[in-house]
Amino acid sequence: MKPAAFDYYKPETLDEALSLLDEFGYDAKILAGGQSLIPMMNMRLARPPVLIDINGVPGMTGIEVGDSEIVIGGLTRHYMVEHSAEIRDSCPMLAEGIKLIGHSQIRSRGTIGGSIVHADPTAELPVMLTALGGKVTVVSSGEERELTPEELFLTYMTTTIEPNEIVKSVHFPVIAERTGHAIEEFTLRSGDFAIIIAAASVTLDEEGLIESAALCIGGVDGVPVKLDDVTDELIGHAPSDELFAESCAPIVDMVEPEKDIHASVEYRKDLCVALSRRVLKKAADEAKLA
């Protein structure tokens, strides 16, 4: 199918793009990478009367790594993050997780900001943003504001970003000392959206005991779910297979995934437990080497 008719604008500055959003409001959609929007338009699942192409807007692409924070422009393509040596050194989970997004053709066009705004709870970037405690900066013609994942994601493919706002940048923390990260997902085919995805971070103290940890699962709710009740039980213990097995077992009662044609509720719960154990163990093993 072909998309429904729409008016097309290609602003040359951020101010011009924001002015167009002020003018058209809910009638307008931002075109960045287009890897989700264009297929939805072609299938008539989305019919925006106005399309605002921001690919010509300068200053919204790039990666800056500071002492404690990584700032990625909203228009930065996935492949730029995937192949960044700075990202591999400063935030290994992000480097690994980006590789799981679709196929190379999608990563060559898809953008960091677009992936997060699309807000699919089984997508890699929303899960990593939540697991790592990142944040998103959005801008309008009147103000700039910063949103945590808890403030940003509302439910399936729905965020708190207003119709007149654009994602300016996405922020991730630089990896701390003695910290390991891991991300794994289960898909029916390579490149598919995940049935279940899990991401973890583990930090060890000088004695090799778990000082802090984070675990996030996608595919069990309308937003990525951070399981603090699981990771709180790990603090002060030496990492081991037995510890992770015991701590992750209650996850079957903590999550309430929905069944669909791809997997039953029970199967999804089993995947949550299995993937959580794997990513926590892998993150702890990497922390020992850090």
Side-chain angles (χ1 to χ4, degrees):
M1 294 179 66
K2 295 181 179 179
F6 58 87
D7 293 329
Y8 175 82
Y9 295 85
K10 190 169 184 178
E12 296 181 355
T13 66
L14 180 57
D15 287 342
E16 187 182 347
L18 294 172
S19 178
L20 287 168
L21 287 177
D22 287 338
E23 179 180 353
F24 294 110
Y26 283 101
D27 285 338
K29 282 289 186 183
I30 292 293
L31 175 62
Q35 300 305 289
S36 299
L37 177 61
I38 297 303
M40 292 176 69
M41 291 175 63
N42 286 341
M43 291 185 286
R44 302 291 178 100
L45 297 174
R47 302 188 183 195
V50 176
L51 208 58
I52 302 173
D53 184 348
I54 63 171
N55 282 279
V57 173
M60 292 186 63
T61 301
I63 300 168
E64 295 182 9
V65 179
D67 292 336
S68 61
E69 184 179 62
I70 304 162
V71 181
I72 303 174
L75 268 180
T76 305
R77 310 291 174 183
H78 295 144
Y79 82 90
M80 296 175 66
V81 177
E82 177 184 1
H83 296 290
S84 168
E86 286 186 307
I87 293 293
R88 286 196 298 272
D89 291 339
S90 58
C91 189
M93 181 197 290
L94 188 55
E96 288 300 312
I98 288 288
K99 296 176 184 177
L100 301 175
I101 297 176
H103 303 282
S104 59
Q105 296 92 331
I106 290 172
R107 297 194 296 274
S108 72
R109 288 297 302 169
T111 63
I112 300 299
S115 233
I116 288 173
V117 170
H118 189 55
D120 189 310
T122 63
E124 292 81 5
L125 277 164
V127 170
M128 289 190 288
L129 187 75
T130 304
L132 294 171
K135 53 194 176 184
V136 173
T137 297
V138 297
V139 61
S140 67
S141 56
E143 66 172 327
E144 182 174 300
R145 61 194 184 111
E146 206 168 71
L147 301 171
T148 64
E150 292 75 21
E151 295 167 332
L152 174 66
F153 300 121
L154 281 178
T155 186
Y156 296 96
M157 300 181 182
T158 306
T159 71
T160 58
I161 296 175
E162 299 292 341
N164 65 336
E165 291 179 319
I166 292 175
V167 172
K168 181 181 178 182
S169 56
V170 182
H171 307 246
F172 292 93
V174 171
I175 188 171
E177 290 184 359
R178 300 184 300 277
T179 297
H181 293 153
I183 181 169
E184 287 198 23
E185 63 184 23
F186 179 82
T187 62
L188 297 180
R189 298 172 302 179
S190 176
D192 281 1
F193 278 100
I195 303 297
I196 294 294
I197 178 171
S201 172
V202 174
T203 300
L204 304 180
D205 63 20
E206 293 181 353
E207 297 179 356
L209 304 180
I210 297 174
E211 183 176 278
S212 63
L215 173 65
C216 183
I217 295 180
V220 295
D221 201 348
V223 299
V225 175
K226 199 171 181 184
L227 296 175
D228 292 337
D229 287 345
V230 174
T231 51
D232 286 347
E233 294 296 318
L234 304 176
I235 308 304
H237 295 280
S240 67
D241 292 348
E242 293 76 19
L243 174 67
F244 297 136
E246 182 180 349
S247 299
C248 291
I251 291 176
V252 294
D253 298 318
M254 296 178 180
V255 297
E256 291 297 334
E258 297 180 1
K259 69 176 181 180
D260 57 19
I261 61 172
H262 302 301
S264 66
V265 171
E266 294 75 16
Y267 188 61
R268 289 176 186 271
K269 287 189 173 189
D270 286 345
L271 281 174
C272 288
V273 174
L275 291 183
S276 295
R277 289 173 58 180
R278 286 185 198 174
V279 293
L280 285 169
K281 181 181 186 306
K282 184 176 179 181
D285 288 344
E286 290 192 1
K288 294 174 184 178
L289 302 174

